[in-house]
């Protein structure tokens, strides 16, 4: 028996959960083809859901331009979907269109002001645009909204705020945020060791900087990566003055 659009969408959404991006994309495309042109009512809601799901699959496949088209198709039918505006922000960010991504994250926040992830992502755009005070504001808001979530949910905002406070030369505050990022599972927030070391270096505190770099190298899941190589080089230089 042929599956209905609703059944296809449900299966494709499960494929997303299972990270089976190509299968999800195929399912959403089939549902969209069966739905055909829609203008309102339940078919329209299903169409928007399918287009959003299609966009997510394309986003995960790093096909950003195509994902933009899918998200915009969803918003043409249902213009007030905060999750779709957020996803569209991710797609524009993937294309390097930061100002456009900023607009979509802001729209997502307007529609759903309790979405900590939207604040976190918008703060990242502000950081890239060197609007550091706004980055601090958004990271702080993200932390407040995540305060009842699991510890790993706050690692990103704490590191983001720490990076920004470092740029603003508010060193002690940056160190405090990195410490908070490490207060749960240090492996989850091990990048905080690396970034905190940079603050200690700028403060002229070689001993804690070296200790943090060594901790980073011990915990990083990418010991052959660029950051790890930088950490080894910095340890060599620190050893010359210790």
């Amino acid at each position: 028996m042929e599956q209905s659009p609703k059944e296809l969408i449900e299966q494709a959404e499960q494929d997303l959960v299972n990270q089976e991006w190509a299968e999800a994309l195929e399912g959403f495309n089939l549902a969209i083809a069966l739905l055909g042109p829609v203008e309102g009512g339940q078919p329209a809601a299903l169409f928007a859901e399918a287009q959003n799901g299609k966009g997510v699959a394309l986003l995960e496949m790093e096909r950003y331009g195509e994902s933009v088209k899918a998200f915009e198709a969803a918003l043409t039918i249902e213009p007030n979907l905060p999750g779709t505006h957020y996803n569209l922000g991710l797609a524009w960010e993937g294309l390097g269109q930061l100002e456009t991504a900023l607009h979509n994250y802001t729209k997502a926040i307007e529609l759903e002001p309790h979405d900590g992830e939207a604040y976190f992502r918008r703060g990242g755009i502000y950081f890239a645009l060197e609007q550091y005070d706004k980055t601090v504001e958004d990271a702080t808001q993200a932390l407040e909204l995540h305060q009842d979530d699991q510890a790993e949910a706050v690692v990103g905002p704490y590191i983001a705020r720490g990076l920004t406070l470092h740029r603003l030369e508010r060193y002690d505050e940056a160190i405090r945020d990195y410490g908070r990022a490490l207060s749960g599972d240090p492996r989850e927030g091990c990048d905080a060791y690396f970034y905190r070391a940079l603050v200690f270096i700028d403060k002229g505190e070689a001993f804690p900087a070296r200790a943090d770099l060594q901790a980073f190298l011990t915990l990083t899941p990418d010991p052959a990566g660029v950051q790890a190589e930088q950490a080894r080089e910095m340890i060599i230089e620190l050893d010359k003055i210790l």
Side-chain angles (χ1 to χ4, degrees):
M1 182 181 295
E2 186 176 286
Q3 289 179 290
S4 69
K6 187 175 187 298
E7 290 171 331
L8 286 167
I9 291 169
E10 289 174 351
Q11 179 58 56
E13 288 174 342
Q14 185 58 51
D15 289 334
L16 290 180
V17 172
N18 296 335
Q19 299 185 11
E20 297 172 345
W21 315 127
E23 291 83 353
L25 179 60
E26 181 180 1
F28 288 125
N29 278 332
L30 284 172
I32 290 165
L34 286 175
L35 286 166
V38 292
E39 296 179 358
Q42 184 61 25
L46 286 174
F47 178 83
E49 185 178 357
Q51 288 286 6
N52 180 70
K54 175 181 177 177
V56 171
L58 290 164
L59 186 64
E60 294 290 352
M61 298 166 77
E62 299 185 2
R63 292 161 61 176
Y64 300 120
E66 294 172 81
S67 69
V68 164
K69 293 178 181 178
F71 294 134
E72 288 182 339
L75 291 170
T76 298
I77 300 297
E78 297 280 355
N80 294 321
L81 297 172
T84 305
H85 281 287
Y86 174 84
N87 291 334
L88 186 53
L90 293 175
W92 283 119
E93 193 174 345
L95 289 168
Q97 300 294 320
L98 301 186
E99 294 285 358
T100 309
L102 182 67
H103 167 78
N104 284 110
Y105 291 140
T106 298
K107 183 65 175 178
I109 289 168
E110 290 173 358
L111 293 168
E112 179 44 78
H114 301 294
D115 185 354
E117 282 302 301
Y119 280 102
F120 173 57
R121 297 300 306 196
R122 189 176 71 171
I125 299 294
Y126 282 134
F127 185 86
L129 297 173
E130 300 184 359
Q131 297 182 40
Y132 298 131
D133 288 335
K134 290 183 177 180
T135 303
V136 170
E137 290 175 7
D138 273 5
T140 301
Q141 187 65 33
L143 287 166
E144 291 176 359
L145 290 168
H146 280 309
Q147 61 183 339
D148 296 326
D149 295 338
Q150 295 180 342
E152 55 264 27
V154 301
V155 169
Y158 271 131
I159 291 178
R161 194 169 69 177
L163 285 167
T164 311
L165 292 167
H166 187 184
R167 291 287 182 93
L168 294 170
E169 299 184 0
R170 293 160 61 178
Y171 298 140
D172 291 339
E173 293 172 81
I175 288 170
R176 186 161 54 248
D177 270 355
Y178 291 137
R180 288 167 175 163
L182 293 164
S183 63
D185 181 357
R187 291 186 181 277
E188 186 71 31
C190 70
D191 283 353
Y193 281 119
F194 180 88
Y195 295 123
R196 189 170 67 178
L198 300 182
V199 182
F200 282 131
I201 288 171
D202 281 351
K203 292 186 70 179
E205 299 179 17
F207 280 108
R210 192 192 190 288
D212 272 359
L213 290 170
Q214 190 57 59
F216 169 74
L217 288 173
T218 300
L219 296 173
T220 179
D222 187 16
V226 173
Q227 271 190 329
E229 182 58 33
Q230 291 174 337
R232 293 187 190 93
E233 292 173 357
M234 284 187 282
I235 285 174
I236 291 171
E237 293 303 314
L238 290 169
D239 283 344
K240 293 177 182 178
I241 61 176
L242 288 173

